[in-house]
Amino acid sequence: QVQLVESGGGLVQPGGSLRLSCAASGVSLSTLTVGWFRQAPGKERVGVSSISSYDGIQTYADSVKGRFTISRDNFRNVVSLQMDNLGPEDAAIYSCATTSWQIMDPLNFREYDHWGQGTQVSVSS
């Protein structure tokens, strides 16, 4: 049974950084495409970043390019999202998700079939 657990969220000042982690049990993340998504209050869930299983291609939403970096640690079975230069617009619940299928749109949450519970990211001075 696949279980995903996110960690690393919290409160940060504008311009600050956070590093989110998605730890898996029951499956090796190296065999899956892993995505990070966020949902702010009253808004729909949107894709932030993903890393594919077979070629390690990283995908980023335009809004986070140059500020966020996704990475995979196969030894620890963790996928991380380094978030730098955070702004109020980045505040949301961040969730990781996985899929074993070859997908067309890695930032489309509908393509993923296992989800973590999410971790809150707040940005405020």
Side-chain angles (χ1 to χ4, degrees):
Q1 182 177 354
V2 177
Q3 186 172 12
L4 304 174
V5 178
E6 302 94 337
S7 62
L11 173 64
V12 64
Q13 293 185 343
S17 298
L18 285 173
R19 186 176 182 86
L20 305 183
S21 294
C22 175
S25 59
V27 69
S28 172
L29 288 180
S30 64
T31 66
L32 304 173
T33 291
V34 181
W36 281 98
F37 300 82
R38 67 187 183 188
Q39 187 167 21
K43 297 187 177 180
E44 68 173 16
R45 178 181 287 170
V46 296
V48 174
S49 181
S50 72
I51 184 165
S52 67
S53 59
Y54 36 92
D55 52 15
I57 289 180
Q58 301 166 19
T59 304
Y60 297 94
D62 288 343
S63 59
V64 307
K65 281 180 182 176
R67 301 188 298 122
F68 290 13
T69 305
I70 192 170
S71 61
R72 189 196 298 271
D73 184 334
N74 292 336
F75 180 75
R76 294 173 56 228
N77 205 25
V78 169
V79 169
S80 297
L81 184 68
Q82 177 66 39
M83 307 187 298
D84 297 319
N85 194 21
L86 287 162
E89 69 278 8
D90 297 311
I93 295 175
Y94 284 70
S95 302
C96 64
T98 63
T99 179
S100 59
W101 299 96
Q102 188 170 349
I103 58 178
M104 299 299 293
D105 182 359
L107 295 184
N108 183 347
F109 68 88
R110 297 175 183 85
E111 301 265 26
Y112 293 77
D113 44 33
H114 287 96
W115 290 82
Q117 298 278 18
T119 185
Q120 178 72 51
V121 171
S122 301
V123 183
S124 175
S125 55

